[in-house]
Amino acid sequence: MLQCIFLLSDSGEVLLEKQLTGHRVDRAICDWFWNQILTQGDSLKLVPVISSPTHYLFQVVREGITFLACSQVEMPPLMAIEFLCRVADVLSNYLDGLNEDLIKDNFVIVYELLDEMIDNGFPLTTEPNILREMIAPPNIVSKVLSVVTGNTSNVSNTLPGATASCVPWRKTDLKHATNEVYVDLVEEMDATINRDGNLVKCEIYGEVQVNSNLSGLPDLTLSFANPSIFNDVRFHPCVRLRPWELNQILSFVPPDGQFKLMSYRVKKLKSTPIYVKPQFTSDSGTCRISVLVGIRNDPGKSIDNITVEFRLPPCVTSSDLSPNYGAVNVLADKTCSWTIGRMPKDKAPSMSGTLVLETGMERLHVFPTFQVAFRIMGVALSGLKIDKLDLKNPLSRPHKGFRALTRGGEFQVRS
Amino acid sequence: MAPPAQSHRSPSPSQPSGKGEVSDLKTQLRQLAGSRAPGTDDTKRDLFKKVISYMTIGIDVSSVFSEMVMCSATSDIVLKKMCYLYVGNYAKHNPDLALLTINFLQRDCKDEDPMIRGLALRSLCSLGVANLVEYLVGPLGNGLKDGNSYVRMVAAVGVLKLYHLSASTCLDADFPPLLKQLMLKDKDAQVVANCLTSLQEIWSLEASTSEEAARERETLLSKPVVYYFLNRMKEFSEWAQCIVLELVSKYVPMDTEEIFDIMNLLEDRLHHANGAVVLATIKVFLHMTLSMTDVHQQVYERIKAPLLTLVSSGSPEQSYAVLSHLHLLVMRAPYIFSSDYKHFYCQYNEPFYVKKLKLEMLTAVANESNTYEIVTELCEYVANVDIPMARESIRAVGKIALQQYDVNAIVDRLLQFLEMEKEHVTAETLVLVKDLLRKYPQWSHDCIAVVGNISSKNVQEPKAKAALIWMLGEYAQDMQDSPYILEGLVENWDEEDSAEVRLHLLTAVVKCFLRRAPETQKALGDALAAGVTDFHQDVHDRAFLYYRLLKYDVSVAERIVNPPKQAVSVFADTQSSEMKDRIFDEFNSLSVVYQKAQFLQPSYMFTDKEHRGPFAFSEELGNLSIGTEPSDAAVAAQRVEANDKDLLLGTSEKEEGHGYGSNGSAYSAPSYNASTTAGASQAHFDLVSIDQPSTVHPPVSFAIDDLLGLGMPSAPSSVPSTLQLNAKASIDANAFQQKWRQQPISLSQETSIDPRGVAGMMNPQALPQHMQGHSINCIASGGQAPKFKFFFFAQKEDGSSAYLVECIINSSSCKVQLKIKADEQATSQAFSELFQSALSKFGSA
């Protein structure tokens, strides 16, 4: 099992070290690891599981922070990797972001969290709701509270009641003044469009996010109008699987607050809401580029937050790009980002310009991939529809709210 | 937290030495120790924070140990936590001071707040000081009986910590039986899970010395215990579920009904949000159904969707671990993902390690139906900005081409790559074209036309250059300029750094000379002259070999350097299927992830080595023979492994290192101390006087047979038509494999089998036994309905000839494919008849 966890900054400095077992892991392992990164050129190039002469190392990189875990014994690889991912999630959730300074400022909290998340190398709990009950997050509210009440501890003095209850993700005696529950469908469209403009792959990855502020022990059921569209689903532990297997109904006692109820995948979609058509024509050392963006299948709501990003090939020495709508930014590493924002009603945005190639090059033969981001409020592009949400044991009728949203995920257009 | 010993002796210059600050802290802490004034806790907290932050950045603050302990009398839980952290870090190195902490930790273990009791107990167990274990027993015993589950949970793990500190103390206190009791009774699932992990570790470590522990370890895998865990599965946290599932995967169910019960119970785990749970569940499924072929296939179908979701929805790190497992599965059952190939299309912004695995998946799932789409996709990556990715993609295209699907279209695409005029693309493609030509000589015409247009100046990478030169030599008669290009390359001999390229150049020039002597003579002379003075041992030796050969007899040289080639059927796979099989035993372990990372030793050393049957061997044979197309029986005799030489060329580079070392001794060989320039020019002189080969195509076959020592069949016609087989013939598996690889196919036939015989195939041993009755021994068998594969061996009565047979039986169509390899070609027909008659009696007897 895991023997030690290190948090490293983007320059290889050890921000934090948490020994988990009696077999102490020397910090020198971090130097070895960092050398590997330096020889590979980039931490993102190093595979997540590597073996040093003494240990097996697992690494997960988030926002420039490397979460490094060491083990000397065989163990399921995904257990270590998943755990590190959860640690990263919990920390960024607690600290409201993840960077060197935040970790340095709050290292005591990080230690406390790790202490509860893993003991003797075996993960215990990574459920944010439970952790929150044991260790209060360092937010402004609790700071204000502590000043007012004079209780400066950010650790609650009571044990979470839930650890002994049959629904470990929920406190038993919750009381809310507001009695409300919100369900959000958040979908991401992953699409790949090839050089000829054909849709190679188009999928939706979606999440059902619930924000529950209900008192007592509410028992909810959520049903969809068209559950048959799901290709694969994954659930929060609170979901009872039997009703789902039988009738495709989600029956659950929700954790308190915001959580991800389920995630799903819908494959083989036929079209995208938006098109991006890049074109390159080379002629004696320069290359004309033009990119057209437009609506292909009107989703019925406005498309906003549109950006198109691509990286100029290294053989391009200079570029001159101008859009008829929005703004173009070319960064030092040759990343061009064209921010369109909301899709205009009256015209189709386009960008054109010239690229100057390296001397000696006649024409461009490597072409960039365009990454497209967009957002459509009010629509779940997979077509998923929520049928109804019921509360089985209502003390009072709660306020219910539904929203949907689709974003561009890995939306890539090759040229 | 623990600064490595050397680092506090010599802190790096960028860090503050911290000495002044530490002594400052010390005095401040001391002042606070006894104070009860309001607000003290806040000041303390700031100071503690400072101490811990020093500790975190690696400054040794162990000198304030006693002050920290003095200040620890507080009710503030954050202060306590910081103090525990500090103590846990330094106690091991300061055992004497650690004694000071025992007191307050023990007191905290009796605190009324369960959180403090738990935390104190955890710290107490983590001190790691062997002398203090006696103080642990009491609090641990109380902890296990504590009313609060949090404390029990900590205590359960604490027992394991104690065991690692002092096994005897732990056992004497009778903790393991207590844990077992808790494990089977406790209301809290986390306590149960912690008991399980502790007990597993303790009993497996004890098992070697104590029979009782070994027995206890067995009971963990007994039906009641496993069922107990399965029934409580849903109460466990996701991580505890992983541990329980790992345990279940080791459980051996009694019958199929039990297997189905367990699988039904666990099926919903496949929907779990945690990838580790999903993978652990899949492991259980795969293990339980290994012996049930049909169900095993269904399991593959069932696990497909969850696995693909894990790949596409997780972080890159998770994708990587899952993809490694997919790769393993796809090796076992390539068809499972063949319709889902689009999931392995690479995203532009994925890390390289994920992309590389995806490419491997794409090559593995390619089959007749999807090759076109996959290759089209791969071609898009070739034009990508990312150079390593472009290279990998070209290699993937080549691998698919070598798998024989839709070669036509692929060769066209590859040739288009050559026209892209990008150096790395050209280089990578050349290497591939070379391999392709070795396998599909029929494409030589198209390829040569394009390759001929490539200027050798644009090719710099040694591997690519070597490939180009090989083609120049091999297809000298088809490429107009070949002798002149080679001549140009020979002129630049001294500038060529790579020995591999020089070796290829030598061979190519000789080949070219044998075909187009007048045009190549000058180049040959120059090349040999340069070769014999080369500092590289292999180049030097080869130059002399050619020189002597040419001098001895040009026709012999022709036969050795340029024999008729046989197309390579299968390139030696880099990873044996035995290895893949082994790794499969370790699904959901690190070895799977390592499979491709060439670090350290393969981690399959980890697990036990039993479980190896003859099955793995038969798989390997199957691999070797796949795609061995029956071809012209007439050239069979000459089907020498001419390609072996090419393989040798490849390996010669590895010996480079040795070459330098042994230079001196090699040069002292008596008749050839020609390493001086004088000698070399002499050699050159001699060469020019070599007779030009008058016949470019000497009668080859006879001498080649001689050369290989196969011996010509003395009188093929006199072989009696009734063949007697040696009833006691035997051969060991390795020798068989060796022989199978070396010999050409002498006969390839298709026949049918009696349907009654097919019925008999239900028992895998039936056919081998039947054939043994006819003096034909089964060496290996394998396969699954409807396709079975057998390897047989037989020997002539007088032992003069051995027969090797690959027999593929399709039980649904009753068709049998035979491939026979024989020492004596002439008798293979007779043997085939004998074999078929024996086979036809199978099932009818």
Side-chain angles (χ1 to χ4, degrees):
Chain A
M1 288 294 137
L2 297 180
Q3 283 173 288
C4 187
I5 293 176
F6 295 100
L7 267 60
L8 306 181
S9 75
D10 53 5
S11 56
E13 183 195 345
V14 181
L15 295 176
L16 206 115
E17 170 184 335
K18 173 82 186 155
Q19 300 284 346
L20 302 171
T21 65
H23 303 280
R24 198 167 270 288
V25 181
D26 197 282
R27 229 177 229 211
I29 196 83
C30 297
D31 299 337
W32 183 90
F33 172 77
W34 204 253
N35 269 329
Q36 292 293 306
I37 288 201
L38 292 180
T39 50
Q40 297 274 329
D42 189 351
S43 62
L44 287 173
K45 284 191 186 138
L46 209 58
V47 292
V49 185
I50 56 174
S51 78
S52 80
T54 50
H55 291 80
Y56 294 92
L57 304 180
F58 303 87
Q59 60 135 353
V60 164
V61 186
R62 291 284 179 281
E63 318 281 339
I65 306 287
T66 305
F67 294 78
L68 184 72
C70 315
S71 170
Q72 271 174 322
V73 291
E74 180 65 271
M75 66 179 293
L78 219 60
M79 195 157 158
I81 292 174
E82 279 267 9
F83 178 73
L84 289 180
C85 292
R86 297 294 177 86
V87 171
D89 290 348
V90 167
L91 288 190
S92 84
N93 185 312
Y94 253 83
L95 309 180
D96 212 13
L98 202 57
N99 62 43
E100 212 178 311
D101 292 340
L102 276 173
I103 290 179
K104 279 185 174 165
D105 290 349
N106 295 294
F107 65 91
V108 175
I109 289 205
V110 179
Y111 276 129
E112 284 180 69
L113 281 171
L114 283 174
D115 225 16
E116 298 302 335
M117 287 167 89
I118 188 165
D119 192 9
N120 205 32
F122 294 98
L124 291 176
T125 179
T126 46
E127 192 60 54
N129 282 297
I130 300 180
L131 291 170
R132 238 162 236 282
E133 286 179 39
M134 293 200 244
I135 300 147
N139 56 16
I140 297 161
V141 180
S142 68
K143 272 184 196 148
V144 173
L145 254 176
S146 67
V147 172
V148 176
T149 58
N151 175 10
T152 46
S153 160
N154 61 348
V155 171
S156 58
N157 287 322
T158 53
L159 254 190
T163 44
S165 84
C166 58
V167 268
W169 51 85
R170 193 179 173 87
K171 249 207 241 193
T172 36
D173 51 346
L174 270 168
K175 285 207 174 55
H176 282 285
T178 56
N179 198 25
E180 52 192 16
V181 54
Y182 297 101
V183 180
D184 291 349
L185 294 182
V186 180
E187 301 200 331
E188 279 186 9
M189 176 172 261
D190 297 341
T192 307
I193 292 156
N194 75 2
R195 206 153 288 155
D196 311 321
N198 296 327
L199 198 58
V200 176
K201 180 180 138 183
C202 186
E203 277 189 5
I204 292 274
Y205 170 79
E207 291 181 357
V208 180
Q209 294 177 353
V210 177
N211 192 357
S212 144
N213 295 305
L214 300 169
S215 308
L217 258 183
D219 200 332
L220 298 171
T221 50
L222 178 69
S223 57
F224 298 103
N226 48 353
S228 58
I229 65 165
F230 294 129
N231 281 99
D232 192 47
V233 285
R234 296 215 271 158
F235 299 117
H236 187 273
C238 71
V239 175
R240 300 186 185 99
L241 291 148
R242 210 43 76 180
W244 175 260
E245 306 261 288
L246 295 175
N247 310 314
Q248 269 85 56
I249 288 173
L250 290 173
S251 158
F252 58 99
V253 176
D256 197 42
Q258 180 88 30
F259 69 101
K260 183 168 89 182
L261 180 66
M262 73 179 278
S263 64
Y264 56 88
R265 209 156 44 90
V266 179
K267 283 201 288 189
K268 293 188 180 144
L269 269 79
K270 294 281 176 290
S271 71
T272 58
I274 192 172
Y275 70 79
V276 174
K277 285 185 185 158
Q279 231 182 4
F280 292 89
T281 39
S282 294
D283 182 36
S284 60
T286 58
C287 178
R288 273 208 69 76
I289 171 176
S290 96
V291 186
L292 295 174
V293 178
I295 295 174
R296 187 194 299 275
N297 270 50
D298 198 339
K301 304 266 176 171
S302 70
I303 307 178
D304 57 10
N305 281 15
I306 304 175
T307 57
V308 177
E309 245 188 42
F310 60 100
R311 202 157 172 178
L312 292 171
C315 56
V316 173
T317 51
S318 69
S319 60
D320 172 29
L321 302 167
S322 61
N324 73 345
Y325 193 88
V328 175
N329 249 325
V330 185
L331 301 177
D333 64 346
K334 294 191 174 167
T335 306
C336 299
S337 88
W338 175 22
T339 318
I340 298 172
R342 182 183 289 266
M343 181 71 83
K345 286 207 175 64
D346 45 347
K347 61 177 166 185
S350 74
M351 177 184 76
S352 59
T354 45
L355 309 176
V356 181
L357 306 183
E358 268 171 7
T359 45
M361 275 188 96
E362 272 297 296
R363 55 194 191 85
L364 197 65
H365 47 49
V366 281
F367 300 102
T369 301
F370 291 75
Q371 308 230 63
V372 185
F374 59 85
R375 190 180 69 175
I376 310 170
M377 302 291 286
V379 175
L381 279 181
S382 68
L384 182 68
K385 295 220 158 50
I386 291 174
D387 187 31
K388 58 179 181 213
L389 174 70
D390 286 329
L391 193 62
K392 259 190 204 160
N393 47 350
L395 299 168
S396 59
R397 295 204 59 77
H399 176 68
K400 293 184 275 192
F402 303 96
R403 276 189 307 187
L405 157 74
T406 302
R407 279 194 295 250
E410 293 295 335
F411 196 105
Q412 307 193 337
V413 181
R414 299 178 187 150
S415 59
Chain B
M1 292 172 283
Q6 64 270 32
S7 88
H8 33 101
R9 257 178 256 128
S10 57
S12 69
S14 65
Q15 279 174 1
S17 72
K19 260 191 192 140
E21 288 90 336
V22 173
S23 57
D24 244 22
L25 278 173
K26 200 175 170 132
T27 38
Q28 284 177 308
L29 279 169
R30 189 163 286 169
Q31 283 164 3
L32 281 175
S35 159
R36 286 188 199 281
T40 318
D41 277 357
D42 285 346
T43 336
K44 271 189 192 170
R45 195 183 282 195
D46 287 339
L47 288 174
F48 273 34
K49 252 189 183 166
K50 251 184 213 159
V51 172
I52 306 248
S53 73
Y54 282 152
M55 187 176 93
T56 302
I57 56 173
I59 296 171
D60 184 12
V61 279
S62 58
S63 54
V64 295
F65 201 103
S66 44
E67 285 77 13
M68 287 289 281
V69 174
M70 274 191 265
C71 288
S72 60
T74 168
S75 58
D76 186 295
I77 196 162
V78 176
L79 271 180
K80 273 197 194 297
K81 279 191 177 185
M82 285 198 269
C83 193
Y84 296 153
L85 187 70
Y86 174 88
V87 168
N89 200 31
Y90 287 112
K92 205 167 184 179
H93 300 292
N94 305 286
D96 299 341
L97 290 171
L99 191 61
L100 295 175
T101 63
I102 292 285
N103 221 342
F104 89 87
L105 282 175
Q106 274 186 332
R107 196 171 54 238
D108 282 354
C109 282
K110 290 176 188 139
D111 199 282
E112 58 184 21
D113 183 346
M115 189 115 187
I116 292 185
R117 287 205 300 274
L119 287 169
L121 188 57
R122 185 180 287 163
S123 312
L124 196 58
C125 296
S126 305
L127 286 181
V129 183
N131 302 335
L132 304 178
V133 285
E134 56 198 288
Y135 300 103
L136 277 175
V137 178
L140 262 181
N142 293 335
L144 287 174
K145 290 181 211 117
D146 200 287
N148 190 291
S149 60
Y150 183 82
V151 185
R152 291 199 302 277
M153 174 183 102
V154 171
V157 178
V159 171
L160 182 59
K161 290 179 185 161
L162 169 65
Y163 175 80
H164 283 304
L165 269 179
S166 159
S168 56
T169 318
C170 176
L171 297 175
D172 290 347
D174 263 350
F175 280 135
L178 257 172
L179 280 185
K180 190 179 171 189
Q181 226 176 341
L182 262 187
M183 178 179 83
L184 296 174
K185 293 226 177 68
D186 205 282
K187 284 205 305 280
D188 188 277
Q190 191 62 54
V191 177
V192 174
N194 284 4
C195 289
L196 174 64
T197 49
S198 297
L199 280 178
Q200 269 183 324
E201 206 165 322
I202 293 174
W203 278 336
S204 357
L205 287 171
E206 279 297 303
S208 54
T209 52
S210 147
E211 257 179 51
E212 198 201 332
R215 230 182 4 261
E216 290 286 7
R217 191 174 60 157
E218 289 307 307
T219 50
L220 276 182
L221 285 171
S222 68
K223 190 168 168 174
V225 176
V226 170
Y227 275 38
Y228 164 76
F229 281 119
L230 283 174
N231 284 325
R232 297 190 67 173
M233 185 61 94
K234 285 178 186 138
E235 300 169 34
F236 290 117
S237 78
E238 46 203 317
W239 308 108
Q241 285 184 13
C242 294
I243 289 157
V244 172
L245 286 167
E246 191 65 34
L247 178 82
V248 175
S249 75
K250 291 187 198 128
Y251 171 67
V252 185
M254 308 283 276
D255 49 31
T256 44
E257 204 168 316
E258 217 185 328
I259 293 179
F260 285 118
D261 283 348
I262 293 177
M263 295 211 302
N264 280 333
L265 187 74
L266 293 181
E267 198 185 355
D268 51 22
R269 295 298 108 195
L270 291 175
H271 287 307
H272 203 284
N274 186 322
V277 176
V278 177
L279 225 53
T281 312
I282 289 174
K283 181 178 183 175
V284 174
F285 279 29
L286 289 175
H287 269 245
M288 292 209 163
T289 56
L290 259 184
S291 56
M292 304 157 77
T293 318
D294 296 355
V295 189
H296 200 64
Q297 301 306 317
Q298 285 171 22
V299 166
Y300 281 145
E301 279 304 313
R302 181 66 191 83
I303 61 180
K304 214 165 77 171
L307 280 172
L308 290 174
T309 306
L310 281 182
V311 171
S312 43
S313 60
S315 66
E317 291 90 356
Q318 287 158 313
S319 298
Y320 173 79
V322 179
L323 274 171
S324 309
H325 284 86
L326 287 187
H327 193 256
L328 186 71
L329 289 176
V330 91
M331 288 292 139
R332 294 280 296 212
Y335 50 87
I336 49 170
F337 296 115
S338 56
S339 56
D340 302 279
Y341 58 93
K342 282 190 181 172
H343 279 279
F344 308 119
Y345 282 6
C346 301
Q347 304 281 357
Y348 163 73
N349 43 355
E350 277 167 338
F352 182 63
Y353 54 80
V354 170
K355 286 188 193 168
K356 190 158 182 278
L357 265 178
K358 283 191 166 178
L359 286 184
E360 284 184 32
M361 286 301 290
L362 283 175
T363 45
V365 300
N367 64 14
E368 290 88 342
S369 58
N370 59 20
T371 298
Y372 184 79
E373 280 83 8
I374 291 181
V375 174
T376 310
E377 176 76 9
L378 288 174
C379 290
E380 300 225 344
Y381 307 151
V382 175
N384 206 306
V385 190
D386 186 356
I387 290 179
M389 187 61 189
R391 281 177 188 276
E392 288 293 336
S393 306
I394 298 171
R395 274 179 219 150
V397 172
K399 261 190 220 157
I400 294 177
L402 292 175
Q403 283 168 10
Q404 278 184 331
Y405 303 115
D406 201 8
V407 186
N408 200 342
I410 300 177
V411 172
D412 280 353
R413 301 259 182 80
L414 277 178
L415 295 179
Q416 280 170 19
F417 292 162
L418 288 178
E419 285 158 9
M420 284 170 65
E421 291 171 18
K422 275 193 276 184
E423 203 189 314
H424 63 273
V425 175
T426 311
E428 210 54 64
T429 312
L430 276 175
V431 177
L432 263 177
V433 170
K434 179 201 72 180
D435 286 344
L436 273 178
L437 285 178
R438 286 170 60 201
K439 182 154 180 177
Y440 309 110
Q442 65 269 30
W443 292 106
S444 62
H445 207 73
D446 303 65
C447 296
I448 293 311
V450 182
V451 172
N453 290 334
I454 297 173
S455 160
S456 60
K457 289 189 188 64
N458 291 344
V459 182
Q460 289 308 325
E461 283 169 45
K463 282 244 178 293
K465 214 166 181 176
L468 180 65
I469 291 171
W470 180 85
M471 284 187 270
L472 286 169
E474 190 62 33
Y475 298 96
Q477 72 275 31
D478 302 325
M479 288 160 101
Q480 201 70 60
D481 299 337
S482 163
Y484 308 104
I485 300 173
L486 286 173
E487 197 175 314
L489 287 166
V490 171
E491 273 169 23
N492 292 328
W493 182 279
D494 294 335
E495 285 147 40
E496 187 52 63
D497 293 328
S498 158
E500 189 189 0
V501 174
R502 297 201 298 273
L503 282 170
H504 270 279
L505 192 53
L506 266 180
T507 310
V509 171
V510 174
K511 277 182 189 166
C512 189
F513 173 74
L514 291 168
R515 286 178 181 137
R516 299 166 67 175
E519 294 159 279
T520 325
Q521 198 171 354
K522 177 174 179 312
L524 178 67
D526 292 349
L528 288 180
V532 292
T533 54
D534 201 278
F535 62 89
H536 191 275
Q537 189 67 58
D538 288 334
V539 180
H540 170 263
D541 287 358
R542 188 176 292 186
F544 268 114
L545 171 73
Y546 288 153
Y547 168 66
R548 284 187 200 163
L549 264 177
L550 289 167
K551 210 177 158 196
Y552 170 69
D553 185 347
V554 175
S555 62
V556 172
E558 164 88 34
R559 285 196 305 267
I560 290 171
V561 181
N562 208 11
K565 289 211 175 39
Q566 172 214 344
V568 186
S569 52
V570 169
F571 287 91
D573 205 353
T574 41
Q575 191 179 30
S576 73
S577 61
E578 193 201 354
M579 182 82 142
K580 279 173 209 149
D581 249 36
R582 280 213 52 75
I583 291 179
F584 194 69
D585 291 343
E586 294 152 33
F587 193 86
N588 200 20
S589 70
L590 289 175
S591 34
V592 181
V593 184
Y594 281 117
Q595 187 227 355
K596 266 149 265 76
Q598 305 99 22
F599 301 101
L600 222 70
Q601 81 276 20
S603 67
Y604 73 79
M605 307 293 185
F606 274 138
T607 48
D608 53 337
K609 295 212 170 187
E610 52 212 27
H611 217 104
R612 308 294 322 136
F615 196 81
F617 168 63
S618 67
E619 286 267 307
E620 194 162 350
L621 269 181
N623 256 2
L624 278 173
S625 59
I626 285 166
T628 328
E629 289 304 310
S631 69
D632 218 355
V635 286
Q638 292 159 10
R639 285 183 151 219
V640 234
E641 294 287 278
N643 313 295
D644 272 358
K645 213 161 26 243
D646 283 328
L647 293 176
L648 278 178
L649 293 189
T651 55
S652 62
E653 218 178 9
K654 289 179 196 149
E655 290 152 20
E656 228 165 308
H658 306 291
Y660 296 114
S662 56
N663 253 355
S665 60
Y667 277 123
S668 65
S671 57
Y672 275 95
N673 40 11
S675 57
T676 57
T677 4
S681 60
Q682 180 66 34
H684 187 190
F685 185 71
D686 280 357
L687 255 178
V688 183
S689 65
I690 289 178
D691 293 339
Q692 283 177 11
S694 47
T695 46
V696 182
H697 298 291
V700 192
S701 56
F702 199 85
I704 279 221
D705 286 330
D706 248 355
L707 220 109
L708 291 164
L710 285 176
M712 286 295 275
S714 47
S717 55
S718 71
V719 172
S721 57
T722 51
L723 186 71
Q724 294 295 317
L725 294 179
N726 178 5
K728 295 198 180 84
S730 70
I731 186 168
D732 78 341
N734 283 330
F736 181 90
Q737 210 177 336
Q738 188 85 22
K739 231 172 145 89
W740 181 264
R741 211 175 321 183
Q742 280 166 358
Q743 286 191 344
I745 293 179
S746 42
L747 203 65
S748 170
Q749 270 180 327
E750 200 161 309
T751 166
S752 56
I753 186 171
D754 194 312
R756 282 172 295 173
V758 171
M761 301 283 298
M762 293 307 287
N763 173 5
Q765 282 310 310
L767 184 66
Q769 275 165 12
H770 168 81
M771 296 306 276
Q772 192 151 28
H774 293 83
S775 308
I776 298 168
N777 297 312
C778 180
I779 299 295
S781 62
Q784 290 158 346
K787 208 168 171 183
F788 296 89
K789 190 181 221 166
F790 297 90
F791 286 91
F792 291 105
F793 175 75
Q795 204 173 33
K796 218 163 128 183
E797 178 80 276
D798 57 13
S800 65
S801 175
Y803 302 97
L804 288 72
V805 188
E806 182 202 54
C807 171
I808 300 173
I809 299 179
N810 188 321
S811 63
S812 60
S813 63
C814 297
K815 286 270 188 292
V816 180
Q817 279 183 321
L818 292 180
K819 281 181 193 145
I820 300 175
K821 299 187 176 188
D823 289 345
E824 274 180 27
Q825 305 295 329
T827 55
S828 55
Q829 183 61 39
F831 173 76
S832 164
E833 281 161 25
L834 201 84
F835 186 88
Q836 287 179 41
S837 86
L839 193 63
S840 66
K841 284 177 199 144
F842 178 57
S844 58

